[in-house]
Amino acid sequence: MTEQTSAHVATEAPLGDLGRRLATQRARLGLTRRQTAARAGMAAGYLRYLEEDPGAAPGSGVLHRLAEALETTVTELTGGAVDVSPGPGCAARDPRFTELSAAECQALLGSHGVGRLAVSTSSGPEIVPVNYSVVDGAIVFRTATGATPALADGRQVAFEVDRIDDAFSQGWSVLVHGVGRVVLNPRQQRRYDEKAHSKPWAGGHRERWMRIDSGMVTGRRITV
């Protein structure tokens, strides 16, 4: 993504469910509104209207063109797959499986905001989603004292992020094995407060910063 493209994506303000989904998918592909509109064969001003007017209700033809331009499906753009677990799509006829390099793994880790933490508990292993950031090369997240993620302190854990594209039967995953640590240093806590790009979706008072010191990072990608 070029600096110009990044600036355009960052400064535009989508509104409404459709607008947010359009802008999110554009950002994933590194496309500006003008580039997306050209792909879909429509005026950039019309795409702006679709993203910024919460009441916009385009017809099926427009939605299909946008879905094709953004390499997704109409169901995804309209929110029909919100409560559907990824992966029900059929496998591609000739998929290609590749191992990701260390640099690719780090880049993909830095592009996400929600991952899955696997940690041991008194009743056995549990996997929980957490909002995370990558700061100074470490995976960091907030949690509350007594919450399941807090049990990672001093223990071997696994952390996973992925992206599954049912429309094209492809995707990737990155797996991190490491040790969880509670962050007690006030200076580090302030730095994480400043650098973290999102807050826990669950809300509430989550005062404890946790860090995963990664020991092994692996990744894989399936393409068609």
Side-chain angles (χ1 to χ4, degrees):
M1 185 188 300
T2 64
E3 290 184 2
Q4 183 179 10
T5 300
S6 299
H8 278 289
V9 172
T11 55
E12 294 162 349
L15 298 172
D17 290 342
L18 175 62
R20 284 192 291 270
R21 292 190 184 98
L22 288 170
T24 297
Q25 188 62 16
R26 282 197 299 105
R28 285 175 180 157
L29 298 176
L31 297 173
T32 64
R33 278 182 182 157
R34 187 176 298 278
Q35 291 168 332
T36 304
R39 281 189 172 196
M42 64 180 60
Y46 181 58
L47 179 55
R48 178 177 181 177
Y49 157 73
L50 294 179
E51 289 193 1
E52 296 188 359
D53 189 329
S60 60
V62 171
L63 288 172
H64 277 95
R65 284 154 55 196
L66 283 170
E68 183 176 359
L70 293 171
E71 300 178 11
T72 185
T73 65
V74 172
T75 301
E76 290 285 349
L77 288 182
T78 56
V82 169
D83 293 323
V84 178
S85 299
C90 296
R93 178 173 297 179
D94 296 305
R96 293 192 298 273
F97 181 89
T98 57
E99 298 289 337
L100 298 175
S101 67
E104 288 176 310
C105 288
Q106 290 298 329
L108 291 170
L109 280 170
S111 71
H112 257 45
V114 177
R116 299 170 184 85
L117 175 71
V119 61
S120 296
T121 73
S122 59
S123 58
E126 289 193 21
I127 300 174
V128 292
V130 296
N131 297 93
Y132 78 97
S133 296
V134 177
V135 180
D136 301 330
I139 296 168
V140 299
F141 58 89
R142 279 187 181 277
T143 189
T145 302
T148 298
L151 298 176
D153 185 29
R155 297 185 180 183
Q156 290 284 340
V157 299
F159 186 83
E160 190 263 0
V161 295
D162 58 54
R163 167 68 175 161
I164 307 300
D165 190 335
D166 283 319
F168 293 88
S169 301
Q170 59 189 9
W172 56 263
S173 65
V174 175
L175 179 63
V176 178
H177 288 95
V179 178
R181 304 287 185 192
V182 63
V183 179
L184 299 175
N185 186 299
R187 184 175 180 180
Q188 283 187 311
Q189 292 173 349
R190 288 194 298 271
R191 180 164 177 78
Y192 295 160
D193 284 335
E194 295 170 357
K195 295 294 183 178
H197 57 74
S198 66
K199 295 182 179 180
W201 291 356
H205 185 57
R206 300 177 185 274
E207 77 293 344
R208 174 166 291 194
W209 274 109
M210 301 290 298
R211 182 183 73 243
I212 298 176
D213 295 326
S214 59
M216 182 173 66
V217 182
T218 58
R220 53 189 179 177
R221 186 190 299 276
I222 297 176
T223 56
V224 295

